[in-house]
Amino acid sequence: MKVGFIGLGIMGKPMSQNLIKAGYDVLLFDKTDPLKSKAEIARNCQVIITMLPNGPDVELVVMGEGGLLENTVDGTVLIDMSSIAPASAQKVHDACVVKGVRMLDAPVSGGQPKATDGTLSIMVGGCQETFEEVKPILLSMGASAVHVGDIGAGNIAKLANNIIVAMNIAAVCEAFTLSNKAGVDPNKVFSAIQGGLAGSTVMNAKIPMILAENFEPGFKIDLHIKDLQNALNTGEEVGSPLPFTKQTIDILQKLSADGHGQKDHSAMWLSYQL
């Protein structure tokens, strides 16, 4: 089976490498390094994966002039692993149906480290039967792949995930700023609380970065802003208030305006260091 992979950024490159390691015949495409054309991928691959920054990018690659749908054949499976608005996923899905293409939305969580070691959490929306068909492909990139509902449900799950991650990082930054300013060694605080109820994957991943002030991006602030904005927009559409999400995005937007948008979202720490 040939698998096409479009989008070789911080996440996409290691994900595609894990597909190759798993034995799949992978054709790669990235706009900065077009090893294969989109048309060639569309014509030759039974499964095509997209890993792109946002909904408009996915829509352009799939539906735009020279896009995938101009060259795909009936029965092709498109797996969009980008984090996009659920409404955008539905729009792309509807266009795929017209062309006989089956689509899943399958965003991921885990950042660059888990993309590299192939232990991403993958949340999937779309047809259950199609999901079962491509699940082995997904599990070559992730430790788990869970079907959560119809098309768009994967991105609803991802929005929920990224709300929780953002607020966890904010809480960690507040808590460790408190301990630091009170004169208590934050490394010892970390050791003391990480095994208790406050312990979390977020804290374990981000506190070492924060304490070392190492903000090399595993997940960039600007991308997290995009995801939280998608969450706020979706919340308005479905009537779900998200007040803490609004407060958190305000912090991230201020950091981005101050030139930190390309840093890891753990750089939220900088907003507390006044």
Side-chain angles (χ1 to χ4, degrees):
M1 175 187 292
K2 278 189 168 60
V3 178
F5 202 106
I6 298 177
L8 304 177
I10 287 176
M11 298 289 289
K13 186 174 182 179
M15 290 166 66
S16 66
Q17 289 171 338
N18 283 325
L19 282 171
I20 294 168
K21 289 177 186 176
Y24 291 101
D25 184 2
V26 182
L27 302 185
L28 304 173
F29 175 86
D30 187 85
K31 65 181 181 180
T32 62
D33 184 20
L35 303 180
K36 296 286 186 298
S37 71
K38 286 181 287 185
E40 185 177 352
I41 286 175
R43 285 193 297 265
N44 291 285
C45 296
Q46 293 83 20
V47 175
I48 303 171
I49 296 170
T50 48
M51 187 64 178
L52 300 165
N54 205 352
D57 305 290
V58 177
E59 292 175 24
L60 181 63
V61 165
V62 178
M63 303 159 55
E65 184 177 353
L68 295 174
L69 291 184
E70 289 187 1
N71 295 280
T72 49
V73 298
D74 283 355
T76 298
V77 178
L78 171 66
I79 309 173
D80 179 43
M81 304 189 77
S82 320
S83 294
I84 66 176
S88 184
Q90 184 68 58
K91 181 179 178 181
V92 175
H93 171 265
D94 291 347
C96 286
V97 169
V98 173
K99 294 288 187 176
V101 172
R102 297 174 289 157
M103 179 187 167
L104 300 172
D105 67 309
V108 305
S109 178
Q112 185 183 27
K114 289 184 177 292
T116 300
D117 63 21
T119 58
L120 291 165
S121 295
I122 305 170
M123 47 218 87
V124 186
C127 171
Q128 175 86 45
E129 183 178 343
T130 303
F131 165 70
E132 296 295 343
E133 181 181 329
V134 301
K135 189 174 181 180
I137 294 175
L138 297 174
L139 290 178
S140 70
M141 298 176 283
S144 67
V146 178
H147 183 263
V148 292
D150 294 334
I151 198 73
N155 274 290
I156 290 290
K158 181 59 189 294
L159 294 181
N161 176 88
N162 277 19
I163 288 171
I164 293 167
V165 169
M167 291 183 189
N168 262 258
I169 295 174
V172 164
C173 289
E174 285 196 13
F176 281 82
T177 297
L178 172 66
S179 67
N180 200 33
K181 290 185 179 294
V184 180
D185 184 344
N187 288 288
K188 292 183 178 179
V189 173
F190 180 39
S191 296
I193 68 175
Q194 68 181 139
L197 191 59
S200 68
T201 301
V202 170
M203 187 170 71
N204 290 342
K206 298 305 177 181
I207 277 297
M209 296 179 69
I210 287 170
L211 297 183
E213 295 197 353
N214 168 25
F215 303 123
E216 285 297 313
F219 190 68
K220 295 177 182 178
I221 283 174
D222 282 345
L223 287 176
H224 212 145
I225 290 170
K226 176 263 298 183
D227 286 345
L228 294 185
Q229 188 59 59
N230 282 338
L232 289 173
N233 293 342
T234 303
E236 289 183 6
E237 292 169 6
V238 302
S240 175
L242 302 172
F244 295 136
T245 301
K246 181 63 171 65
Q247 291 180 25
T248 307
I249 199 174
D250 287 345
I251 294 170
L252 292 171
Q253 287 174 331
K254 176 63 165 58
L255 285 166
S256 182
D258 290 342
H260 301 298
Q262 296 301 297
K263 292 179 179 176
D264 188 78
H265 49 182
S266 59
M268 202 181 300
W269 171 257
L270 299 174
S271 67
Y272 291 88
Q273 308 314 301
L274 304 177

